[in-house]
Structure formats: structure tokens, C-alpha cells
Amino acid sequence: MTNRYAVVLAAGQGTRMKSKLYKVLHPVCGKPMVQHVVDQLNTLDLQELITVVGFGAEKVQEQLGEDSHYVIQEEQLGTGHAVLQADDILADKEGTTVVVCGDTPLLTGETLQKLLDHHDAEGAKATVLTAHAEDPHGYGRVIRGGNGQVERIVEQKDASDEEQAIQEINTGTYCFDNAMLFDALKNVSNDNVQGEYYLPDVVEILKGQGETISAYQTPEFSESLGVNDRVALSKAEKLMKQRINEQHMRNGVTLVDPEQTYIGPDVTIGRDVVIYPGSVLEGTTTIEDDALIGPHSTITNCHVGSETTIKQSVAADSKIGSRVQIGPFAHIRPQSSLGDDVKVGNFVEVKKASFGDGSKASHLSYIGDAEVGSGVNIGCGTITVNYDGENKHLTTIEDDAFIGCNSNLIAPVIVGKGAYVAAGSTINQDVPSEALSIARSRQTNKEGYASKMKSIKKD
């Protein structure tokens, strides 16, 4: 198989976004547009992937990391000029180069593979990815000859009235014979309305040399969507959401209301999971079989076990076991680990804490920086007092302990296995196993005191 390379065009500032954030870093379903593009390219067998960066280069490099090599386009002089910046890396290589815009987040690896396959099958030196547009306004038009091959591509501003009526549009994605691409780029002129060096002019140059120029038309027009402003960004978001949700439903997930369910592109969901409206699943979240999520729950970068229920709650960067009950209105903060059959009930916050199997914190508690064993019951209103003003400290509650309501556990402290803490206690010393710890003032009743107070108020 021939060597394959890719060039991602990501140097444009994107002034129409009217944003401090560099255009290709605007997220679609929680992932920056350029990351979508690079992820899809990485499904191909590439020898080299190069991203052309300009304004905001360091932030793009921070996002993509080692997924790409980088070249800088210091002046924005058009797409042809942008690709030419990769000349030092690619010009002497044999093979095929695919060129993709960094603001086309809906383009799929499957379509890119079909484009490459078509390019090889036709023996073409350039192949254009095209689409049929009911309203082609704003797109470059693909001009074909009588034999069906591509004659040239005309930008909207340079097209005649007859050419503007053509509905086959250029998506901005191409395959080229690599050596011929860089030879032709040196001959591209900027004699056009914009005064820029257009990459599509390479097609006309190669055609003039008698080379075969082909086109592959994707059946999905939505993949051609380039995002240049917030309106297009919202369209891309909607289309990506529909694509992701449909894929999960076809894989055996029940989305009660897909229009009101938001699932990121890297989320994995098992079969017979039910997701209620208003739920947001983000990052690298995994939901195992038979779980129930929502309504109105947000889960980010979590592993959620089978048959677990999370209602009206938030969880992030944590591991949640099987048959766990969370919510309503609970908050599982980062670095938490909940074992199987755990219950974290209404208005309970868990932070950087572990719960052993079968433990419960059912109401109105804060459990932070804690190691909770198995079979522990944490009563309503319990707080692990973990912060002394400078440092965080650990609370340990061993297996089968019982913490009474409205208790304060002043860390660092250990409540031993099977121990009891009486309701209303403030514990600042370790509690031995099987002990009962009571840390509160003895109750004193002042007989008749209330009557005396009422009499004073009347006087």
C-alpha cells in the first residue's frame, strides 16, 4: 500500500466567531473541532500528520499534543499557501496526501477512507471530496467535464452565474499525489478577487498537465459543514448530537428523549441502559449495562457499573460500582471511588473519598478526604472535618461502623471496625473497634425556666 500523509489546515483566526477562543478550538459535543478532525484522521493508516497553525498556535499544539507535527503559517495568504508550509517535511516523499480543514468536525474516518480508496482505484493525481447541496451559496463549485472528471473548482466569488447554479460543491477536503501537490503549489497564483493562493487551483494545474482528476461525492452533505461562526457551530453541535445519540440507540441504549440528552463522542454505554432527559455524559465516561441515568444528571470522566442509578446528580472523575444508588441531588467530586451496592443519597457530597461495598450516606452529609469501609452507615448531617486552614487530613471509618446523625469527625481520625458514634458527637480522637463514642455535653433540664423567661418579657 502507498504511503499516506495528512495535512490539517488550522491557521485561520476565525474572526467571524467573535471570540477570544481560537476558532478550531471551539467545542462540538464537548471536544474541540480540530480534535474531532485529527481523531478521524488517526483511524487511517498514516505515516505523517501535520497541522498548519497560525494565530493561537501554542493552544492548538497544547490540545493536540503528540497526535500531530506542526508547521506555522505566519501570514494568512490562503489554503494553497497554508499547505505549502509543509513543504520541508513532505515535498520529497512519495505517496498520497489528504488535506482537511480543521473546522470540519463532522467529517468521518469512514468517508476519508472511501475518498482514499476511490483515489487509488481511479489512479488519480488529485481527488476532491464533494457533496450535493440544495443551497450551494458560499461553497466552491465543482466543474466536471464530459467524461465526468473534474475540470476545475471555482470559488463562489469568482464563479459566473452559470457556475453558481451548479449544486455539486467542494467540501475543502482533497487527496493528492504528494510530489505533484508540492510541485504544483509553487505555480499557484493569487490573481483572484481575494488575492489569495487557493489550494483548488492545484486541480486546474494538474488537469492542464494531462493528469487524471477525480471526485468522490459523499452521500452525507452534513459532513461538509465548515464552522465559521456561532450559527454554524450550533448546527454542527446539533448534527453531531443526533449522530452520537442515534448510534447509541442502535447499539441498545434507551434515550427517553434524544433531543434533551447530550452524550460526548468518547462516551461508552452498555446495553439496556436507560437515560432520561436533561442528562449530560461527557469526557471518557463509561456506563455499564442496565444502568439508569437521570433525569438531569451530569457525569464526566466516570466509570459507572451495571445496574447503578444516578438521579438528578453530578459526578466527575470517579469510579462508581454496580448497583449503586446516587441522588437525587448528590455530588460525587473527583477522585472518589464507590464500591458495589453503595448508597449516596439526597444532598450528600463526596470528595476524594472511597466507600466500600454496601456502605451508605443517605442524607445531607459531606464526606471528603475519607476512607469508608464496607457495611458502614453514615447518618444524616455527618461531616468529615478535613481542613485545618492549611492542610487536608484523612478520616478513616472502618467496616461495619455506625455514625450517628449530626456527627463531626475531626480529621485525622479513625473510627474502628464495628464502632458506634452517638448522634450529635464531635469526634477528635480515634474510636476503638466495637466501642460506643459519645462526645457531647450531658443534657441539663432547667425546670420552670421557660415560664420565668416569658414573665420577664411581659414586664
Side-chain angles (χ1 to χ4, degrees), residues 36 86 102 124 154 395 440:
H36 279 288
V154 182
T395 296
R440 62 190 185 209

Side-chain angles (χ1 to χ4, degrees), residues 149-226:
Q149 290 189 10
V150 177
E151 296 286 343
R152 57 196 177 95
I153 299 170
V154 182
E155 297 298 322
Q156 168 81 30
K157 293 182 180 180
D158 300 314
S160 66
D161 290 344
E162 183 180 355
E163 289 167 341
Q164 288 189 24
I166 295 171
Q167 291 181 298
E168 186 176 18
I169 59 98
N170 174 23
T171 68
T173 298
Y174 312 86
C175 283
F176 295 101
D177 175 277
N178 186 72
M180 288 190 169
L181 166 64
F182 286 95
D183 283 344
L185 281 170
K186 296 177 176 64
N187 297 313
V188 171
S189 167
N190 66 344
D191 184 17
N192 52 60
V193 174
Q194 294 291 95
E196 294 185 348
Y197 299 90
Y198 292 147
L199 181 59
D201 287 355
V202 170
V203 170
E204 195 168 349
I205 291 171
L206 294 179
K207 186 68 177 178
Q209 296 172 357
E211 302 295 347
T212 299
I213 310 299
S214 187
Y216 172 74
Q217 186 175 116
T218 174
E220 294 294 335
F221 173 75
S222 63
E223 292 192 36
S224 70
L225 179 66

Side-chain angles (χ1 to χ4, degrees), residues 222-242:
S222 63
E223 292 192 36
S224 70
L225 179 66
V227 176
N228 291 312
D229 57 25
R230 307 288 182 132
V231 175
L233 184 67
S234 70
K235 291 178 181 177
E237 179 82 18
K238 182 176 181 179
L239 290 166
M240 181 72 77
K241 179 169 73 75
Q242 290 173 342

Side-chain angles (χ1 to χ4, degrees), residues 330-362:
H331 189 182
I332 311 300
R333 290 172 57 189
Q335 300 183 57
S336 296
S337 178
L338 309 183
D340 296 338
D341 303 297
V342 165
K343 182 178 181 181
V344 176
N346 50 296
F347 301 104
V348 174
E349 181 177 351
V350 177
K351 172 256 178 185
K352 199 177 179 180
S354 62
F355 274 58
D357 295 348
S359 290
K360 301 176 182 179
S362 297

Side-chain angles (χ1 to χ4, degrees), residues 264-431:
D266 297 322
V267 173
T268 302
I269 308 176
R271 291 184 177 181
D272 294 316
V273 172
V274 178
I275 302 177
Y276 282 92
S279 295
V280 180
L281 308 183
E282 301 175 311
T284 56
T285 292
T286 296
I287 311 291
E288 293 188 6
D289 294 354
D290 302 301
L292 188 153
I293 308 298
H296 304 293
S297 292
T298 300
I299 304 173
T300 306
N301 298 325
C302 288
H303 187 283
V304 178
S306 60
E307 301 180 62
T308 285
T309 298
I310 303 177
K311 294 183 176 180
Q312 289 114 342
S313 296
V314 175
D317 301 294
S318 295
K319 187 177 187 302
I320 298 166
S322 298
R323 300 175 301 282
V324 174
Q325 297 180 56
I326 296 176
F329 311 114
H331 189 182
I332 311 300
R333 290 172 57 189
Q335 300 183 57
S336 296
S337 178
L338 309 183
D340 296 338
D341 303 297
V342 165
K343 182 178 181 181
V344 176
N346 50 296
F347 301 104
V348 174
E349 181 177 351
V350 177
K351 172 256 178 185
K352 199 177 179 180
S354 62
F355 274 58
D357 295 348
S359 290
K360 301 176 182 179
S362 297
H363 324 278
L364 300 163
S365 296
Y366 171 72
I367 311 299
D369 296 280
E371 294 179 356
V372 179
S374 300
V376 172
N377 187 89
I378 297 175
C380 175
T382 295
I383 296 173
T384 58
V385 186
N386 56 342
Y387 186 48
D388 64 8
E390 293 185 3
N391 299 299
K392 298 289 181 72
H393 299 281
L394 181 68
T395 296
T396 301
I397 305 172
E398 296 182 350
D399 294 352
D400 302 315
F402 182 97
I403 311 299
C405 294
N406 201 33
S407 294
N408 297 309
L409 306 180
I410 312 295
V413 70
I414 299 173
V415 178
K417 183 177 181 179
Y420 275 60
V421 172
S425 293
T426 296
I427 304 298
N428 59 9
Q429 298 180 40
D430 291 351
V431 179

